[in-house]
Amino acid sequence: MPTLQERLGDLASEAPLRQHPGDLWQRGRRLHRRRTATAAAALLALVVALSVGMLPLLGNGPGEPLPADRDTADLHLPRTVHAPHPWARGTADAGQIGPLAAVGLAHRNLPDGVFGERREQALFGVSAVDGTSRWLEEPELSADVEMQSLVGWFALSPDGRWLGWVRHEPAPESDTFVALRSVTGWAVMDTLTGEVRELEDPRAPRPLGTDVFEIEFSGDSRYLLTNYSRTGNDSRSDRLVAWDVTTGERIPVEEDGHYWLPSLGSAPTGVVWSRGRDVHRVDPASGRRSTVTLPGDVVEASWGPDDRAMAWIEDPEGNGPWALRAGPSIDAIEPMSLGVQPSQLLGWTDDRHVVVGHDRQDVRIVDVVTGTVERERVEAGGGVISVPLLAADLWANDLVEAGEPPTARDPRRPWYVAGGVAVGAGILVVLVLLARRRLRA
């Protein structure tokens, strides 16, 4: 009875040899490598697919630009101005959120290297559409955000469409205090598109000789108002200029020769400013001018939406305290008792109600006909550094409650997770190959 080994030997000797045994060995090795590579590629593909699928869950989420071109009646001021989460995305990758209800300063977290982070002061905007907030990070804008207050450096148009600011020389590494840096010009940004227009006078020196200046929008949001000197640092050579925000045209509205800065005001059309008891008004497009003389020194004057009602803050003694006067027309202006000292005129809710600021959060809504006063609050949320700028036209609409901004994460975290998964998958592939080799041996 032949053994199994003998029977297999006989079978092998009788089988036809169609290929050299060495070729069969190489063919088997190639087939084994292809199967191993296919398995590794499939495993890596699965890892990549899982990593990409996890990005929206681990990151800050997709930022869809909000509809911006809305009727003014659909736009609102928030009762609380919230800054975005320090790790929230900005307009560079999440899109614009204009028109803006408010602009503020807060601290933001930014990646520094692979694992580090740094904290910087940054500008944010609050949407007038739904109250969401987002970091404003256009390159031309972010380089000029290094101050502790927006007043005197930034301006928000009454309709929330335009943001204006002072441009200045880059700060030396050893000095980040903006007040010590020279002014080189101004800029306006369309909050709907993020487009920035730089404003400058080619005949003015570089840097400008102005060290104290005004920056504000006209009441109709058509002009950015600034003052500067063409001849150097001479306080009597400053002139008040209206810049058309859509064309960049420079229109002087007051010639030089005044020692003090003008006190800017507002009206439904044109440019308003005051000196002493005289309130001046000019239409830059037509050049039409008018002047009204009031009974006391004017700190700020404003005409109502009907262009008849008027309110103004006066400085009776020349050094305070300030007081409010208002009426349905210039001929019917009366003192208004607020119980507190007014600080600025923030806007109008309608033809007969003016909004008067008192401090950081407290405002008074005054009926210029009856003198009745209602108290309102617009608060700055946690982390907001300075008093936010508000879009004055939106006082005409109801204030809305704004929820806390959503929590965001370090934008590098998804890549950390994906990298960890990829490294783990690579280790797994190596272990599988080693195990197969050990079994084959």
Side-chain angles (χ1 to χ4, degrees):
M1 188 72 178
T3 65
L4 177 61
Q5 184 176 4
E6 292 174 339
R7 294 177 60 187
L8 290 175
D10 294 341
L11 180 63
S13 63
E14 296 175 0
L17 183 61
R18 298 181 181 180
Q19 193 166 359
H20 190 274
D23 293 338
L24 289 174
W25 174 257
Q26 295 298 328
R27 183 179 178 185
R29 287 177 59 86
R30 287 195 299 270
L31 180 61
H32 173 71
R33 286 196 295 267
R34 281 200 300 268
R35 288 175 176 173
T36 302
T38 301
L43 182 58
L44 288 175
L46 177 60
V47 169
V48 172
L50 289 175
S51 301
V52 173
M54 292 169 67
L55 290 180
L57 300 177
L58 299 174
N60 296 333
E64 294 295 334
L66 298 171
D69 193 7
R70 299 292 189 93
D71 186 86
T72 303
D74 297 330
L75 309 179
H76 300 271
L77 294 174
R79 289 190 177 277
T80 304
V81 177
H82 291 292
H85 187 274
W87 278 117
R89 299 201 297 175
T91 53
D93 62 349
Q96 296 295 321
I97 58 170
L100 299 177
V103 174
L105 284 173
H107 285 110
R108 181 184 187 187
N109 294 338
L110 294 170
D112 188 8
V114 178
F115 297 104
E117 65 181 63
R118 67 182 188 274
R119 193 180 189 216
E120 291 186 354
Q121 191 169 284
L123 197 71
F124 68 88
V126 179
S127 170
V129 177
D130 66 355
T132 58
S133 55
R134 189 169 297 169
W135 299 110
L136 304 177
E137 54 185 5
E138 282 62 33
E140 301 89 344
L141 177 61
S142 58
D144 288 317
V145 182
E146 296 176 9
M147 66 293 299
Q148 294 295 320
S149 174
L150 296 177
V151 177
W153 299 98
F154 286 85
L156 180 63
S157 65
D159 62 3
R161 173 72 183 269
W162 305 95
L163 179 66
W165 67 93
V166 179
R167 293 189 296 114
H168 39 72
E169 292 180 329
E173 293 184 1
S174 60
D175 176 24
T176 59
F177 187 50
V178 155
L180 301 179
R181 294 160 57 183
S182 299
V183 175
T184 60
W186 300 268
V188 290
M189 181 179 73
D190 187 339
T191 64
L192 304 188
T193 65
E195 180 182 358
V196 175
R197 180 187 299 277
E198 295 187 350
L199 307 173
E200 60 183 28
D201 183 350
R203 294 179 54 188
R206 292 291 180 274
L208 294 173
T210 302
D211 54 3
V212 179
F213 43 81
E214 297 276 14
I215 177 170
E216 190 58 83
F217 281 93
S218 60
D220 56 10
S221 300
R222 292 184 57 185
Y223 303 98
L224 180 67
L225 308 177
T226 68
N227 69 289
Y228 65 93
S229 171
R230 277 185 168 182
T231 59
N233 192 11
D234 178 4
S235 58
R236 290 191 180 276
S237 64
D238 283 357
R239 61 177 54 187
L240 180 62
V241 172
W243 303 86
D244 189 310
V245 296
T246 58
T247 66
E249 180 184 3
R250 182 185 62 86
I251 307 173
V253 294
E254 183 188 48
E255 295 300 326
D256 52 16
H258 298 277
Y259 185 75
W260 300 108
L261 294 177
S263 298
L264 302 181
S266 65
T269 60
V271 174
V272 177
W273 75 98
S274 59
R275 291 189 177 277
R277 299 184 176 189
D278 294 331
V279 181
H280 306 282
R281 186 170 173 180
V282 61
D283 178 5
S286 66
R288 186 171 61 253
R289 296 172 177 267
S290 63
T291 300
V292 175
T293 301
L294 298 175
D297 287 347
V298 179
V299 176
E300 183 180 2
S302 178
W303 272 270
D306 62 355
D307 212 12
R308 296 183 66 254
M310 187 179 186
W312 57 286
I313 296 175
E314 71 168 344
D315 187 359
E317 304 298 331
N319 58 1
W322 294 349
L324 175 69
R325 290 178 177 265
S329 68
I330 294 179
D331 298 330
I333 291 180
E334 298 289 343
M336 298 289 167
S337 177
L338 300 180
V340 294
Q341 179 177 247
S343 61
Q344 64 181 131
L345 303 179
L346 299 176
W348 295 75
T349 63
D350 54 40
D351 293 345
R352 60 183 284 177
H353 291 88
V354 63
V355 184
V356 184
H358 165 53
D359 61 15
R360 183 183 178 96
Q361 301 175 341
D362 194 24
V363 302
R364 302 291 196 274
I365 300 177
V366 182
D367 188 323
V368 300
V369 176
T370 66
T372 57
V373 179
E374 295 181 11
R375 188 174 179 179
E376 187 60 86
R377 292 179 66 84
V378 176
E379 301 179 343
V384 178
I385 295 174
S386 65
V387 179
L389 303 177
L390 303 178
D393 286 353
L394 305 190
W395 285 104
N397 303 329
D398 295 335
L399 299 180
V400 297
E401 298 292 343
E404 292 282 348
T407 300
R409 295 186 175 93
D410 185 334
R412 297 166 298 181
R413 182 173 178 179
W415 301 109
Y416 293 158
V417 175
V421 172
V423 170
I427 294 174
L428 179 62
V429 169
V430 172
L431 293 176
V432 170
L433 295 178
L434 291 176
R436 291 175 64 90
R437 177 175 296 182
R438 186 176 296 109
L439 290 174
R440 187 170 60 251

